Amino acid sequence: MAAGADAQARYGQSVKGLLSEKVSTCTTDVIALTKQILKGSRSSELLGQAARNMVMQEDSILHSEDSLRKMAIITTHLQYHVELSTNLQDQLKHLLK
């Protein structure tokens, strides 16, 4: 019977070793899964923050676009006035000759 008890003890040790390996593997997998979930959660959080920042910048962009249009109109008016004053200056020179 000693041989049977000895075989049973080795079998028990073998099962304990396999079980220990499985628990270790599962623990490692759970840790990796948790890290991935946290990483995904953080990515989602960062995307949400980026979207909020874009919305906040939208008004500034629209205001800048409006200002650029107004500046283009003013530039056109100034060019017109420069041409007009140049023409008037030429006419005055012609009259004073």
Side-chain angles (χ1 to χ4, degrees):
M1 283 255 217
D6 196 31
Q8 193 173 16
R10 280 186 297 200
Y11 177 75
Q13 288 296 331
S14 175
V15 169
K16 284 181 184 178
L18 288 173
L19 186 58
S20 178
E21 283 180 39
K22 286 290 185 185
V23 167
S24 177
T25 301
C26 285
T27 302
T28 302
D29 290 347
V30 167
I31 290 170
L33 179 61
T34 303
K35 286 180 181 178
Q36 192 63 34
I37 289 170
L38 290 174
K39 188 177 180 181
S41 172
R42 181 72 178 138
S43 295
S44 177
E45 182 181 319
L46 290 174
L47 284 173
Q49 182 64 40
R52 286 189 292 278
N53 288 344
M54 271 184 80
V55 168
M56 288 173 32
Q57 293 298 322
E58 188 176 11
D59 282 341
S60 296
I61 292 169
L62 292 173
H63 180 70
S64 296
E65 186 179 17
D66 188 47
S67 294
L68 285 172
R69 275 194 212 104
K70 289 176 182 176
M71 287 170 41
I73 291 168
I74 290 169
T75 302
T76 302
H77 284 254
L78 286 173
Q79 287 171 340
Y80 170 76
H81 286 290
V82 167
E83 281 182 38
L84 186 62
S85 66
T86 303
N87 289 341
L88 288 173
Q89 198 174 33
D90 289 344
Q91 288 175 7
L92 278 173
K93 283 182 186 175
H94 181 68
L95 287 173
L96 294 175
K97 285 185 183 180

